[in-house]
């Protein structure tokens, strides 16, 4: 599942735009965190917002950061984390209902690294 919903190094605004354009309440994707190296962000749409949850990785595995610093639930893989939260979403999170799969998006809708290129040699 992770490979289907992982969008890599797209920014927060690009993730929000994708979820707003192609998603519905409960649609989600994963992206790299822009502020914490090695962390991921789980972005979930619940109109009128896109909620973002940071996923951290350590020797214990993968866990969603908790707001009130409660002890997080650790998983051995990202797939396990996503599947568990799809079946039973904690009360502080928006339910994960619909994976926003990259393969289902048109190529022109996906942000590309080349789009940020400002210099072109002729």
């Amino acid at each position: 599942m992770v490979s289907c919903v992982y969008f890599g190094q797209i920014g927060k605004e690009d993730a929000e735009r994708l979820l707003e354009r192609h998603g519905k309440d409960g649609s989600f994707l994963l992206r790299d965190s822009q502020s914490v190296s090695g962390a991921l962000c789980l972005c979930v749409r619940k109109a009128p917002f896109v909620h973002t949850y940071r996923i951290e990785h350590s020797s214990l595995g993968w866990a969603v950061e908790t707001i009130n610093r409660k002890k997080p639930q650790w998983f051995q893989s990202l797939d396990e984390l996503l599947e568990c939260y799809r079946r039973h979403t904690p009360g502080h999170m928006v339910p994960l209902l619909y994976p926003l799969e990259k393969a289902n998006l048109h190529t022109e809708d996906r942000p590309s690294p080349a789009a940020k290129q400002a210099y072109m040699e002729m």
Side-chain angles (χ1 to χ4, degrees):
M1 156 140 333
V2 170
S3 61
C4 296
V5 298
Y6 175 65
F7 283 74
Q9 295 183 349
I10 65 171
K12 176 184 175 185
E13 293 82 13
D14 289 333
E16 290 174 353
R17 198 171 9 261
L18 284 170
L19 286 164
E20 288 166 0
R21 177 183 268 175
H22 301 285
K24 52 189 169 186
D25 281 359
S27 293
F28 65 94
L29 62 82
L30 283 172
R31 65 176 177 83
D32 293 332
S33 172
Q34 294 177 298
S35 58
V36 178
S37 180
L40 297 173
C41 290
L42 174 61
C43 304
V44 189
R45 180 180 173 180
K46 181 166 184 191
F49 302 107
V50 172
H51 299 261
T52 301
Y53 307 97
R54 185 174 294 132
I55 299 176
E56 55 186 290
H57 184 249
S58 77
S59 60
L60 298 173
W62 298 90
V64 173
E65 270 187 15
T66 57
I67 297 170
N68 53 6
R69 298 291 180 207
K70 289 172 84 176
K71 186 177 177 183
Q73 183 175 0
W74 293 94
F75 298 90
Q76 293 304 307
S77 72
L78 283 170
D79 280 315
E80 285 180 32
L81 183 149
L82 291 176
E83 287 305 318
C84 178
Y85 284 173
R86 287 188 73 191
R87 286 190 309 270
H88 177 71
T89 306
H92 69 281
M93 290 179 65
V94 175
L96 307 180
L97 302 175
Y98 311 104
L100 189 70
E101 297 183 17
K102 291 185 298 186
N104 294 340
L105 302 181
H106 299 314
T107 307
E108 64 270 11
D109 292 330
R110 280 186 260 154
S112 75
K116 294 183 180 180
Q117 189 172 351
Y119 173 78
M120 184 168 78
E121 196 168 317
M122 308 266 283

